[in-house]
Amino acid sequence: MEAKRTEFDVIVAGGGPAGATAAGYLARMGYSVLVLEKSRFPRHQIGESLLPSMMPILEDLGLSETIAAQNFPKKTGGTFVWGKGKEPWSVLFSANPFLPHSHAYHVDRAKFDELVLDNTERLGAEVHQGEGVVSPIVEGGRVAGVIARDDEGHEQTYRARMVIDASGRASVVGRQLTERTFDPKMKQVAFWAYYDDCVGPEDPDIAGHVIVESHRRGWTWYIPVESEGLGQVSVGVVSGQEFKDEFAEMGAQAFFESCIADAPMLQKMLG
């Protein structure tokens, strides 16, 4: 059996888009890179609506044609029902000269994340799925590696010149080495679901937009995920801590549906 490699230039904790992108760039530059991802892809992930700033990165990493071939819905802007009036207003990417591209995508994150991570491996990074970082190894005041555990419970030590924590909210390295403080006003909660066979917006010009509508307890999102036919739509409700008693009394499902009932444009698009 070939011995397992345990020393690298860079270790990346997390194989989502951030970790896969960092590892892809570094591997392409000739560094030895290990990506440790505790999940096995494909896996569900919320956050389907991308921004134009990602388009040059996809091109850099050789992913433009691959992503275009998935027929993800093109995101051409955003429409908002927000403010004193209830008339929708839009932002068009094509009308902004400071943006690097005229569109982005609304993606199925399970498909998208797997494509990006697979491409990182193609660029030369070593990728371990089902093996996540447990703790950093600190020597002489700096991180010199990590201890990882696979999904069968086996632990392994890896060493590197640099460790990148791209584990998202989990912050598996950062939370053990630094302190996190939270702004209580920004501690929000999100509920989401997926809807099939939606009516969609009346205006065809905003069919590719992320549509955000405010309501008395926060705001909602509407994101078309599938591009064939009416397809599937990601719908979310974001609310604040000031409504936690109301949520506790109603329960998640009733609270979610009550917020949608307070968003007439969203309700109409869902049909």
Side-chain angles (χ1 to χ4, degrees):
M1 292 179 65
E2 184 178 352
K4 193 173 189 179
R5 182 175 182 177
T6 59
E7 293 193 8
F8 297 84
D9 290 323
V10 183
I11 294 171
V12 180
T21 298
Y25 273 117
L26 289 164
R28 197 181 64 175
M29 294 166 66
Y31 295 103
S32 60
V33 185
L34 171 65
V35 179
L36 295 168
E37 168 54 54
K38 69 175 182 178
S39 301
R40 293 189 181 273
F41 286 20
R43 54 92 174 94
H44 172 264
Q45 187 80 349
I46 195 70
E48 299 90 352
S49 197
L50 307 185
L51 291 171
S53 55
M54 285 198 66
M55 300 300 281
I57 297 172
L58 296 177
E59 185 174 347
D60 271 354
L61 299 178
L63 273 167
S64 293
E65 293 183 3
T66 301
I67 298 301
Q70 304 305 308
N71 291 320
F72 292 132
K74 286 186 177 180
K75 179 183 178 182
T76 53
T79 295
F80 303 86
V81 181
W82 198 295
K84 294 180 179 179
K86 288 299 179 183
E87 284 298 312
W89 51 277
S90 296
V91 174
L92 300 177
F93 295 151
S94 60
N96 191 325
F98 299 103
L99 294 178
H101 210 281
S102 61
H103 76 268
Y105 293 105
H106 302 294
V107 301
D108 177 340
R109 284 288 304 279
K111 294 179 184 177
F112 178 80
D113 290 12
E114 185 174 31
L115 288 170
V116 177
L117 187 59
D118 287 349
N119 187 66
T120 295
E121 198 164 22
R122 182 187 66 80
L123 291 171
E126 185 172 322
V127 176
H128 294 186
Q129 296 188 38
E131 186 175 14
V133 172
V134 176
S135 61
I137 299 169
V138 180
E139 295 176 352
R142 66 183 302 274
V143 178
V146 299
I147 297 172
R149 182 184 298 130
D150 65 21
D151 45 19
E152 294 182 350
H154 303 128
E155 291 193 352
Q156 177 67 55
T157 297
Y158 299 99
R159 306 185 72 84
R161 295 162 57 192
M162 180 175 288
V163 173
I164 297 174
D165 187 350
S167 59
R169 288 184 304 160
S171 188
V172 294
V173 177
R175 65 183 166 84
Q176 297 185 56
L177 299 177
T178 64
E179 290 186 9
R180 292 199 293 182
T181 57
F182 295 90
D183 182 342
K185 293 181 180 178
M186 298 303 294
K187 290 186 72 174
Q188 300 175 331
V189 62
F191 308 87
W192 67 90
Y194 295 90
Y195 287 75
D196 289 315
D197 302 320
C198 298
V199 175
E202 289 181 342
D203 183 355
D205 290 338
I206 67 171
H209 287 196
V210 56
I211 299 175
V212 173
E213 184 172 6
S214 62
H215 55 84
R216 71 176 182 87
R217 286 168 290 188
W219 56 278
T220 64
W221 76 68
Y222 174 100
I223 300 169
V225 179
E226 297 292 345
S227 56
E228 296 180 4
L230 292 175
Q232 195 176 60
V233 173
S234 171
V235 175
V237 166
V238 178
S239 188
Q241 294 292 318
E242 62 268 37
F243 301 102
K244 62 183 179 182
D245 292 339
E246 190 174 344
F247 160 69
E249 182 179 343
M250 297 175 69
Q253 186 75 28
F255 185 84
F256 179 82
E257 293 176 357
S258 175
C259 290
I260 288 178
D262 286 341
M265 182 175 178
L266 173 61
Q267 200 171 31
K268 194 170 185 179
M269 289 189 297
L270 294 179

